Amino acid sequence: MSQSHQQPALPKCPGCEEPPAAGDLFCGVCGYDLSAVPARPDDRPTMAITVPPAAPAAGAVRWPAAEETDSSDVPAPVVRPADVPGTDSGGRPLTEPDAVSGRGAGSPPEPVRAGGPEAAAVQVRHDDRADPGGAEASGDFALAAPDPRAAEHAAAPAAAPAPGAKVCVACRSGRVDPDGYCENCGHAQPRERDHMEQELDAVAAVSDRGLRHHRNEDSFAVSSTALPDGSPAVVAIVCDGVSSASRPDEASAAAASAANEALLESLPRGTHPQTAMHEAIVAASEAVNALAQEPAGAREHDAHRHQNAPACTLVGAIMAGGLLIVGWVGDSRVYWVPEDRTRPTARLTEDDSWAAQMVAAGLMNEAEAYADERAHAITGWLGADAYELEPHTAAFKPDRPGLVVVCTDGLWNYAESAEEMAAAVPADAREQPLRAARMLVGHALDGGGHDNVTVALLPFAVRPQGAGSACDTV
């Protein structure tokens, strides 16, 4: 549809960030269609529902059962464990989900006022991504041309680049010259943060800008360390910047780095991993809060949105001593996919979102809640305007090998249920986690790529009987 009104002047091109000349309809540097960039919507008010955090108990090297580490007065939401044995952050066994609410039978519902859905007292923050089908509704920039990463290329493959040379993300065969262009197909390469990959021995992660966002506001950190008894501990942290906030890309990067550093400091000291996860989320929150204390001049580069506190969500997983610990604030998720695909899969986290609260309170079923335009409004996040922090943690002890999938909603929007996620995970994901992570990102891009996409994969191996350590006493 043509637009008769005057487009707002842009301080810089969304494609190459160079300032366009006055009145230009196309960027003189990269050719970006400037008329396709809609004006940013007004930011919406934000509030959080939380209570003051409690000081986490310090764990001993022999790992007694972790004390209540949630900062709320009620247990953390009981997750959907299927047949994965585990305990919630209150130390109680995880039970089968209730048929009505989808929550464990022993878990109280989130506090909601009496009455129908319209009367529910759900305080939320809108992330401007409620409608993944429309760029205008989400405030994202619609691309003027198809993204080269999603295009099919029929050209004959070029000669393989030399070992160590950077390969084009579009044709997957050409060498990238020093100016950042493919010598085979000529495509300009994305900024470093637009597509990130990392692989360690026991974990791999991939993050991509997607096809509709003008930058990648996700971030991740993966690492490994050793426990006091010498056994390994593997960590994956995934953060998703809140698009309606200022500098969401900086918030997610700060949170991922701070949480990872906190875990690498506490786990080798013998801190119980569930307590360590709680402390890491608190450290991540403090890092994001610190961004809001920077002078106003530091935010002038983000002229398209109202200035408010940087914010992000966080989800993380730790594999240590035969345990799987997950922690989260927001709507990013952890899934369990057993190696034997005939066995049940599971989602191990419960979203901090409007839809999840409606389902938990029994006011809507999942189909109704997630069809509502308010479904993806988050009720928990890290940031100075969250006021209080309510980290969720849960501990599991899987009795069979499998794969842990840690991801943002940019992926699970295209594979929401545990069964759908398991179907999207390649059969050889435990043997080739980096390749599998790339394929999962590709699954989201093939589905439309309406959001940034980040996923970390942790292959979980069950230790043979008799190979236990002092860390098994949970």
Side-chain angles (χ1 to χ4, degrees):
M1 179 183 298
S2 62
Q3 296 179 338
S4 60
H5 62 276
Q6 180 68 30
Q7 290 287 343
L10 296 175
K12 59 184 179 181
C13 170
C16 64
E17 299 189 347
E18 291 294 327
D24 278 358
L25 295 180
F26 295 89
C27 178
V29 177
C30 68
Y32 197 100
D33 184 357
L34 302 176
S35 65
V37 183
R40 286 280 182 173
D42 290 338
D43 195 18
R44 293 170 237 174
T46 62
M47 291 179 289
I49 49 170
T50 44
V51 295
V61 171
R62 292 186 61 85
W63 286 0
E67 299 182 13
E68 173 65 58
T69 56
D70 245 357
S71 57
S72 59
D73 294 330
V74 296
V78 175
V79 301
R80 302 174 185 177
D83 64 339
V84 184
T87 58
D88 66 13
S89 53
R92 286 171 287 280
L94 296 172
T95 58
E96 291 298 322
D98 181 73
V100 175
S101 66
R103 296 167 61 84
S107 177
E110 296 286 345
V112 179
R113 291 180 185 170
E118 298 302 327
V122 181
Q123 297 170 304
V124 302
R125 175 170 198 152
H126 293 277
D127 195 15
D128 280 352
R129 291 176 300 187
D131 178 12
E136 292 184 3
S138 67
D140 295 333
F141 295 131
L143 296 181
D147 190 283
R149 291 165 294 174
E152 295 290 339
H153 297 276
K166 189 174 181 181
V167 179
C168 174
V169 300
C171 68
R172 301 288 183 182
S173 60
R175 188 176 69 88
V176 178
D177 65 23
D179 293 330
Y181 291 86
C182 176
E183 294 181 347
N184 179 44
C185 68
H187 273 104
Q189 301 303 292
R191 290 164 292 187
E192 181 178 358
R193 176 124 183 213
D194 283 354
H195 186 89
M196 301 180 291
E197 298 183 358
Q198 187 175 356
E199 182 180 31
L200 301 177
D201 291 338
V203 60
V206 176
S207 181
D208 192 90
R209 175 173 59 86
L211 305 181
R212 302 297 292 271
H213 272 242
H214 69 288
R215 64 181 173 187
N216 190 359
E217 296 170 356
D218 288 356
S219 191
F220 69 81
V222 294
S223 60
S224 61
T225 186
L227 301 175
D229 65 353
S231 62
V234 181
V235 171
I237 301 293
V238 169
C239 296
D240 185 353
V242 175
S243 295
S244 60
S246 301
R247 299 179 293 156
D249 51 334
E250 296 179 32
S252 63
S257 176
N260 185 61
E261 291 176 3
L263 290 171
L264 292 181
E265 192 276 332
S266 60
L267 290 173
R269 290 191 285 106
T271 304
H272 190 289
Q274 193 168 356
T275 301
M277 177 62 79
H278 182 279
E279 294 173 346
I281 297 175
V282 172
S285 176
E286 292 172 350
V288 178
N289 292 351
L291 296 178
Q293 300 171 6
E294 296 181 4
R299 310 183 191 124
E300 291 177 354
H301 69 284
D302 206 357
H304 290 289
R305 65 177 82 246
H306 289 291
Q307 302 300 338
N308 52 24
C312 69
T313 66
L314 180 148
V315 66
I318 304 171
M319 295 191 310
L323 298 179
L324 170 60
I325 307 298
V326 299
W328 73 98
V329 173
D331 61 350
S332 293
R333 295 180 176 180
V334 177
Y335 292 84
W336 166 258
V337 179
E339 182 178 32
D340 181 357
R341 299 299 177 88
T342 65
R343 305 301 295 268
T345 58
R347 170 154 67 92
L348 305 182
T349 57
E350 190 71 31
D351 298 344
D352 287 325
S353 70
W354 183 92
Q357 288 204 343
M358 293 298 100
V359 174
L363 298 174
M364 290 182 174
N365 60 38
E366 281 201 1
E368 294 170 336
Y370 282 95
D372 193 284
E373 63 180 6
R374 298 165 289 183
H376 290 274
I378 56 175
T379 58
W381 63 89
L382 305 181
D385 63 350
Y387 305 116
E388 308 290 349
L389 179 63
E390 187 181 4
H392 310 293
T393 60
F396 302 87
K397 194 166 187 178
D399 58 1
R400 60 184 62 95
L403 185 75
V404 182
V405 182
V406 185
C407 65
T408 62
D409 61 344
L411 173 59
W412 68 252
N413 274 332
Y414 300 99
E416 186 168 339
S417 69
E419 294 73 21
E420 290 172 325
M421 183 61 71
V425 172
D428 61 351
R430 294 187 69 249
E431 291 73 32
Q432 300 186 67
L434 179 59
R435 174 179 175 274
R438 289 170 177 163
M439 293 181 68
L440 286 172
V441 169
H443 176 78
L445 297 181
D446 290 343
H450 291 97
D451 198 358
N452 306 143
V453 190
T454 302
V455 58
L457 300 181
L458 298 86
F460 190 96
V462 176
R463 293 181 301 173
Q465 295 294 328
S469 69
C471 298
D472 287 335
T473 57
V474 251

